[in-house]
Amino acid sequence: MLHINDLSYRLGDRLLFDKATVALPAGTKAGLVGRNGTGKTTLLRFITGSQSPDDGSVTVKPGAHIGQVAQEAPGGPTSLLDFVLDADSERTSLLAEAETATDPHRIAEVHTRLGDIDAYAAPSRAATILSGLGFPHADQGRPCSDFSGGWRMRVALAAVLFAEPDLLLLDEPSNYLDLEGVMWLETYLQRYPHTVLIVSHDRDLLNTSVDTIVHLDQGKLSAYRGGYDSFDRQRREQQALNLKLKRKQDDQRRHMQAFVDRFRAKATKARQAQSRLKMLEKLEPIPGMVEDEVRPFQLPNPEKQLSPPIIAANEAVVGYDEKAILRALNFNVDPDDRIGLLGANGNGKTTLAKLLSGRLQVMDGRLKRSHKMDVAYFAQHQIDELEPAQSAFDHVRVLMPDATEAQVRARTAQLGFGPEKADTPAEALSGGEKARLQLGLATFTGPHLLILDEPTNHLDVDSRAALIDALNTFEGAVIIISHDRTLLESTVDRLWLVSDGSVKGFDGDLNDYKRWLLDRERGGKSPKQAANATPQDDRKSAAKKREELAPLKKEIVRLEALMADIEGKIEKIDERLADGSIYVEKPDRAVEYAKKKNDAQKVLEQAEERWMALSEEYEQAVAAA
């Protein structure tokens, strides 16, 4: 499907690609990984043809349709559902032609093709995709202009998923999804029938949705089978092997060089010395472990711990402009709490975070907070609040007006901005560097409570790991909103579910939460039931699900019988066509048999495709049960 051969590209004085080569067969689901700034998005531009490399080639299978999320969010009066449906240009064109065509033969062809592409079921499929990405049925008829930029980007994602391109390119799709949307996308990509190349730093997404990892490192592309964890293990094993071989080779080089240096001037040893010199020249160097340094995050601890609870809510109500968003809030936050907020976007997680941080006040009820508490609040949009022309040093200087320049530079370096980056204007920093700077500024004074709203959107995998390390050594309370399951699973010990206008503790882990989401779609268990289900309950639930799957299994068995019957008929036709005399004695019969065989093969192919899709659906449903 995709072949990248000897790709080279230089951006200024940086060599992004150095004769990079990789191939992805049709049907591959690949994750493209690498440090920020290595050229992943540039590679996607080469694939779409919107940018050209200096040398080498990028070849996509002839006739294949490439799909990518539009860079501009959709707007205007078009409804969400119509915008997604319009993404299938063939269907839109055929439906329009069906209304105007007058030639009976062409009308028949159009309707046959509409049936082949399952055009009349398209609205249902589009609605399912929109629902999975967080749009309830009532919102799908609203115009795109009613929604904010982040939500409209979800509509753009829904459109490209609906179009089902032969090669689907996704660049950090989870950045504008919540945890629920990411979980849905993982399942959708597992079932996607064509080739996928996804740029992502979301470890869980890369573990569950792809079967190949393409690593971009030092201008080279390397493919690894399996998900991210498998790639990480293989890479470390290769690095260890390279290091071992490099040490061995270095010893060999030293011995050869010592012999050459000692005996080159002696006539009796000159030939041997010359021979070893040639061996040294031919000895290909083995690369050592080259790892770009990931600077740690520095989260200053509070100078003094406060008495619990630092926040206590009693029947509190919060909202905007006299409109209540969350009601009947009853909870405590202790000085050492680690809390993850769950719930779909729009349910009030950010509203709760603003209440806890003091940016919103209660409309009714009580919210008591420690008067000595220092709160640090980091939201992803805050990186846009940095002064574009000011450097990291300038931003830190504002917080240390009486310090010497040396002291300010030392503190700036602690935030991760050494001499090479300290004076770079914020507008020239990468997204990850801006996030690092804003987080450092927010936590500058050693807060008692740290609230993080989607902190990982611009961080690569290694930087996310560094943030996890910093959070786990931070001695204050932490509340996190994130679509990154690895971050949540590694740092929080309590989960709160923000849903249906209130906040409740979720008694379970993220796996329980995912099961609850799936059950909820089928009208199943409550959060508490999902977390506290007994083995007997699980067996009953599994039996019920198997019963629900019986019609699906029956259809699979029917298709298997149909395929066997068609294969038998084709075999009999082949036997008759193998008799050469039929072409001389009964040529019309030979043509008839050939036509029957062609028709049977088409029916067989359709049956096989449906059988494969249903079998995969059945296996996944059984596994989930």
Side-chain angles (χ1 to χ4, degrees):
M1 173 59 72
L2 174 65
H3 292 269
I4 297 172
N5 297 305
D6 289 335
L7 191 71
S8 295
Y9 181 73
R10 187 176 290 277
L11 182 64
D13 59 350
R14 292 176 56 211
L15 184 62
L16 286 185
F17 295 93
D18 181 15
K19 295 187 178 300
T21 298
V22 76
L24 299 181
T28 300
K29 295 180 176 64
L32 177 59
V33 302
R35 289 286 177 79
N36 284 339
T38 53
K40 300 185 296 296
T41 299
T42 301
L43 181 60
L44 296 189
R45 295 194 191 107
F46 292 156
I47 295 171
T48 59
S50 61
Q51 191 171 337
S52 299
D54 297 332
D55 198 9
S57 63
V58 177
T59 306
V60 179
K61 182 180 177 181
H65 173 52
I66 302 174
Q68 190 176 33
V69 177
Q71 292 184 350
E72 293 187 7
T78 305
S79 72
L80 306 188
L81 187 61
D82 286 340
F83 181 85
V84 173
L85 289 171
D86 288 345
D88 188 342
S89 56
E90 182 186 11
R91 174 184 177 275
T92 302
S93 175
L94 288 172
L95 287 174
E97 188 177 357
E99 295 291 327
T100 58
T102 56
D103 180 13
H105 295 292
R106 180 55 187 162
I107 292 174
E109 289 175 355
V110 168
H111 283 284
T112 299
R113 181 57 184 163
L114 285 170
D116 290 342
I117 64 175
D118 209 12
Y120 300 107
S124 175
R125 187 164 65 87
T128 299
I129 293 173
L130 282 168
S131 177
L133 292 175
F135 296 98
H137 182 73
D139 284 348
Q140 295 176 13
R142 293 169 57 191
C144 293
S145 57
D146 281 4
F147 296 86
S148 65
W151 283 98
R152 281 187 275 163
M153 287 307 298
R154 291 195 189 199
V155 181
L157 174 60
V160 74
L161 295 179
F162 173 76
E164 284 196 355
D166 302 301
L167 176 57
L168 174 63
L169 304 178
L170 298 176
D171 193 353
E172 294 289 0
S174 59
N175 276 3
Y176 37 85
L177 296 179
D178 52 20
L179 180 61
E180 292 72 16
V182 173
M183 288 179 170
W184 178 87
L185 181 62
E186 288 174 0
T187 303
Y188 186 88
L189 291 178
Q190 288 170 3
R191 301 175 181 175
Y192 191 74
H194 307 301
T195 308
V196 178
L197 181 61
I198 175 172
V199 176
S200 180
H201 296 299
D202 189 317
R203 194 170 186 133
D204 286 286
L205 181 64
L206 294 172
N207 274 327
T208 58
S209 302
V210 306
D211 52 38
T212 301
I213 295 293
V214 177
H215 186 213
L216 175 55
D217 182 45
Q218 300 176 66
K220 302 292 187 182
L221 291 168
S222 304
Y224 297 79
R225 293 294 298 171
Y228 188 86
D229 286 347
S230 174
F231 148 73
D232 194 38
R233 184 185 66 255
Q234 294 177 64
R235 182 178 59 139
R236 293 184 187 282
E237 289 172 351
Q238 185 62 52
Q239 287 174 334
L241 178 61
N242 282 355
L243 185 60
K244 183 177 179 181
L245 292 176
K246 188 175 186 301
R247 287 171 178 166
K248 185 177 180 180
Q249 188 186 79
D250 289 344
D251 288 340
Q252 189 178 1
R253 281 181 174 278
R254 279 193 294 271
H255 291 144
M256 288 184 184
Q257 190 65 53
F259 184 93
V260 170
D261 293 342
R262 182 177 179 185
F263 296 112
R264 190 183 332 214
K266 292 190 176 182
T268 57
K269 298 289 186 179
R271 180 174 295 180
Q272 292 92 326
Q274 191 66 26
S275 175
R276 282 167 173 75
L277 195 59
K278 291 179 179 179
M279 290 173 64
L280 270 173
E281 292 172 354
K282 293 180 180 179
L283 206 57
E284 288 289 335
I286 295 172
M289 272 185 9
V290 179
E291 287 285 354
D292 294 331
E293 180 186 3
V294 178
R295 291 184 177 272
F297 285 87
Q298 299 286 345
L299 302 178
N301 292 316
E303 289 187 5
K304 183 179 180 181
Q305 288 288 2
L306 302 177
S307 300
I310 54 176
I311 299 178
N314 182 19
E315 294 298 320
V317 178
V318 64
Y320 306 92
D321 299 328
E322 299 184 357
K323 179 182 178 182
I325 303 297
L326 299 173
R327 300 176 180 273
L329 301 180
N330 295 283
F331 57 75
N332 289 344
V333 178
D334 290 336
D336 59 350
D337 263 335
R338 301 300 169 101
I339 301 169
L341 301 185
L342 305 178
N345 279 358
N347 278 4
K349 297 193 300 295
T350 297
T351 299
L352 178 61
K354 289 181 177 179
L355 174 66
L356 295 171
S357 68
R359 284 166 169 76
L360 280 178
Q361 302 301 318
V362 294
M363 299 167 60
D364 198 2
R366 294 181 59 196
L367 184 80
K368 182 180 179 182
R369 61 176 67 243
S370 174
H371 67 279
K372 295 181 179 179
M373 181 175 61
D374 183 9
V375 180
Y377 181 76
F378 173 88
Q380 192 55 51
H381 68 270
Q382 287 181 318
I383 66 174
D384 297 326
E385 298 174 4
L386 294 169
E387 292 294 334
Q390 292 187 5
S391 65
F393 173 83
D394 296 329
H395 282 88
V396 174
R397 163 62 78 188
V398 173
L399 300 177
M400 301 177 67
D402 299 325
T404 66
E405 179 175 344
Q407 290 172 326
V408 175
R409 290 197 176 278
R411 190 63 188 273
T412 306
Q414 288 180 359
L415 300 188
F417 296 87
E420 74 286 354
K421 285 287 185 179
D423 296 311
T424 302
E427 60 189 357
L429 297 175
S430 68
E433 289 167 337
K434 290 178 182 178
R436 176 185 287 274
L437 176 57
Q438 186 62 54
L439 181 59
L441 297 175
T443 60
F444 200 81
T445 58
H448 300 95
L449 172 62
L450 173 57
I451 301 174
L452 301 176
D453 191 346
E454 297 293 358
T456 63
N457 276 1
H458 293 288
L459 302 182
D460 57 35
V461 175
D462 295 318
S463 295
R464 293 181 186 204
L467 177 60
I468 288 171
D469 290 340
L471 289 172
N472 286 334
T473 57
F474 177 64
E475 295 176 2
V478 178
I479 296 177
I480 301 176
I481 302 170
S482 180
H483 62 260
D484 188 326
R485 267 185 289 167
T486 299
L487 175 68
L488 290 173
E489 289 172 338
S490 302
T491 57
V492 307
D493 51 29
R494 295 173 63 191
L495 296 173
W496 288 358
L497 177 59
V498 184
S499 179
D500 300 324
S502 191
V503 178
K504 303 292 183 185
F506 185 84
D507 297 326
D509 59 18
L510 289 176
N511 289 328
D512 295 320
Y513 181 60
K514 185 173 185 178
R515 284 194 292 269
W516 173 68
L517 288 174
L518 294 172
D519 281 342
R520 186 182 62 172
E521 291 179 3
R522 303 166 186 164
K525 304 171 185 174
S526 69
K528 189 171 182 179
Q529 288 171 331
N532 297 332
T534 65
Q536 185 178 5
D537 292 333
D538 289 339
R539 285 193 294 272
K540 288 181 179 179
S541 177
K544 182 180 178 182
K545 289 176 181 176
R546 284 194 295 270
E547 183 179 344
E548 293 171 351
L549 291 172
L552 184 60
K553 180 64 175 177
K554 185 177 180 180
E555 177 64 8
I556 292 171
V557 172
R558 187 191 72 80
L559 287 170
E560 289 172 346
L562 175 62
M563 290 187 293
D565 181 58
I566 296 173
E567 287 169 348
K569 290 179 180 178
I570 292 175
E571 186 177 346
K572 290 180 180 178
I573 293 174
D574 285 338
E575 290 175 359
R576 291 170 180 169
L577 291 175
D579 183 359
S581 63
I582 193 174
Y583 299 98
V584 178
E585 299 173 1
K586 299 178 180 179
D588 293 341
R589 184 66 59 84
V591 172
E592 182 183 347
Y593 282 147
K595 186 177 182 302
K596 285 184 177 180
K597 179 181 177 180
N598 185 54
D599 292 342
Q601 285 178 328
K602 287 182 179 179
V603 175
L604 179 61
E605 288 174 3
Q606 293 174 355
E608 286 177 339
E609 288 179 4
R610 180 159 175 75
W611 175 82
M612 289 176 65
L614 293 181
S615 296
E616 184 177 359
E617 182 180 348
Y618 180 81
E619 289 171 3
Q620 290 176 347
V622 170

